[in-house]
Amino acid sequence: MDTQHLVWGITLIGIGIIAAAFLYVVARSGMPLEYASVQKKAYGIRRWFFWTLVLLGIGTAYGTLVEFPIPDQRGSSAGARVVDAVGKQWSWELSANQFTAGVPVEFRVTSSDVNHGFGIYDPNGRLIAQTQAMPGFTNHLVHTFTQPGKYRVLCLEYCGLVHHNMVAEFEVLAAPQGGKS
Ligand SMILES: [Cu+2]
C-alpha cells in the first residue's frame, strides 16, 4: 500500500469517527441526562483523545521525515582538491573545471559583490550540494563526486536582473582504473 492510500485510509477513519460521534450525539439528544456522571465520562474521553492526538502527531511527524537531501558541508577536507569559487553579478568564476570522481573537492566559495547561492547540480539536474556565496566571507563546501559527467553551478539566490544566467559548468571524470590518482 503506498503512502497516499495509507493517508487516505487514515483520513476516512478520522471522518468515520467524527461522523459516529455526531450520530451518537443526535441519537442521545432526546434522553434525560445525569450531568455529573456524563461530565466525568466526557473529561475521560477528552483526556484520552488529547494524548492519542499528541502521540499521533509525534508519530506522523517522525514517520514522514525524509532524509535531509543536502549532505554535511563540514565533511573532512583532508586530501581534498581545493577550488576557489567566486560569484559576481552575473557569473561564477571557478579556478578549476575538471575533477575526478572519488576525490573530495573543497569549494572555497565567496562573492565579490552581493549574496549569491552556490548550488551544484549533477548530470541529472538534481541539486547535490549548496552553500551561500557571501561578500567578505568564505564558505567551505566539501563534496566527493561519484558520478562522472557534466555538472552545473547555478545561483540559488536572486541577485539582480541576470540572476538566471549565473551558470557555470564543470566536468567530473571517471576515476582511473587500478587506484586513485
Ligand atoms: Cu543569483
Side-chain angles (χ1 to χ4, degrees):
M1 183 159 42
D2 62 32
T3 315
Q4 200 167 1
H5 283 99
L6 182 69
V7 171
W8 176 231
I10 292 171
T11 308
L12 280 181
I13 291 169
I15 292 171
I17 291 171
I18 292 169
F22 186 76
L23 289 176
Y24 178 78
V25 169
V26 170
R28 298 281 306 232
S29 62
M31 299 179 187
L33 288 179
E34 204 200 313
Y35 187 71
S37 84
V38 170
Q39 190 184 40
K40 200 172 154 205
K41 211 160 143 194
Y43 281 160
I45 292 172
R46 193 165 76 175
R47 198 175 307 122
W48 184 85
F49 195 58
F50 173 77
W51 287 113
T52 306
L53 276 183
V54 168
L55 287 179
L56 251 175
I58 292 172
T60 307
Y62 188 77
T64 54
L65 270 181
V66 287
E67 205 185 322
F68 197 55
I70 298 165
D72 187 7
Q73 299 189 6
R74 290 179 298 273
S76 165
S77 58
R81 171 97 187 271
V82 173
V83 184
D84 293 311
V86 183
K88 61 177 184 210
Q89 287 166 316
W90 287 278
S91 61
W92 293 105
E93 213 170 87
L94 298 178
S95 65
N97 57 12
Q98 255 188 8
F99 310 113
T100 309
V103 179
V105 179
E106 179 184 342
F107 293 92
R108 295 190 174 162
V109 182
T110 188
S111 164
S112 60
D113 41 40
V114 301
N115 265 26
H116 299 280
F118 181 84
I120 301 175
Y121 288 79
D122 75 4
N124 306 319
R126 269 177 53 122
L127 178 66
I128 52 166
Q130 65 94 26
T131 191
Q132 240 2 65
M134 297 140 76
F137 190 83
T138 300
N139 272 315
H140 299 251
L141 176 63
V142 179
H143 189 79
T144 304
F145 298 98
T146 52
Q147 186 188 353
K150 284 220 186 303
Y151 286 69
R152 293 198 306 162
V153 175
L154 302 186
C155 184
L156 295 182
E157 182 164 336
Y158 183 70
C159 56
L161 271 186
V162 201
H163 158 72
H164 60 277
N165 240 10
M166 277 186 75
V167 183
E169 267 196 0
F170 61 82
E171 198 178 6
V172 172
L173 306 171
Q177 295 295 312
K180 274 184 178 180
S181 65

